[in-house]
């Protein structure tokens, strides 16, 4: 008889994100306005520029854009982990 495998219990508690307030983050590649979304109000999917994977509707994620006049036209939706690790990508990948 083989031992039973431990299974992770599905969490029914949503990830707690603060309300959608904008903040300015300073990174080596400039200043960015960042908005954390809990995904509850999103009804369409987005493509993360960091990993080129889909951000499913309802999934918590980050929206960022350059902090300059007209920068809101460059707004992108990112997975939270992809946004934090974007500067670690190699030279062959775009950073934004």
């Amino acid at each position: 008889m083989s031992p039973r495998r431990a299974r992770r219990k599905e969490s029914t508690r949503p990830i707690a994100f603060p309300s959608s307030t904008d903040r300015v983050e300073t990174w080596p590649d400039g200043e960015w306005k960042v908005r954390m979304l809990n995904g509850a109000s999103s009804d369409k999917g987005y493509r993360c520029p960091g990993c080129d994977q889909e951000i499913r509707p309802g999934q918590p994620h980050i929206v960022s854009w350059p902090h300059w006049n007209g920068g809101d036209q460059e707004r992108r939706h990112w997975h939270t982990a992809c946004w934090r690790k974007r500067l670690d990508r190699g030279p062959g990948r775009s950073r934004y």
Side-chain angles (χ1 to χ4, degrees), residues 13-70:
R13 185 173 44 127
I15 297 173
F17 274 87
S19 62
S20 64
T21 56
D22 299 345
R23 68 175 187 272
V24 176
E25 293 184 3
T26 303
W27 289 76
D29 59 345
E31 288 188 343
W32 300 90
K33 276 199 168 183
V34 176
R35 179 181 299 157
M36 296 178 85
L37 301 175
N38 62 11
S41 63
S42 66
D43 57 348
K44 69 176 195 174
Y46 298 97
R47 178 76 50 189
C48 175
C51 64
D52 202 33
Q53 299 295 314
E54 181 184 11
I55 301 172
R56 295 183 317 249
Q59 183 178 6
H61 63 281
I62 287 177
V63 178
S64 68
W65 60 95
H67 184 54
W68 63 63
N69 289 338

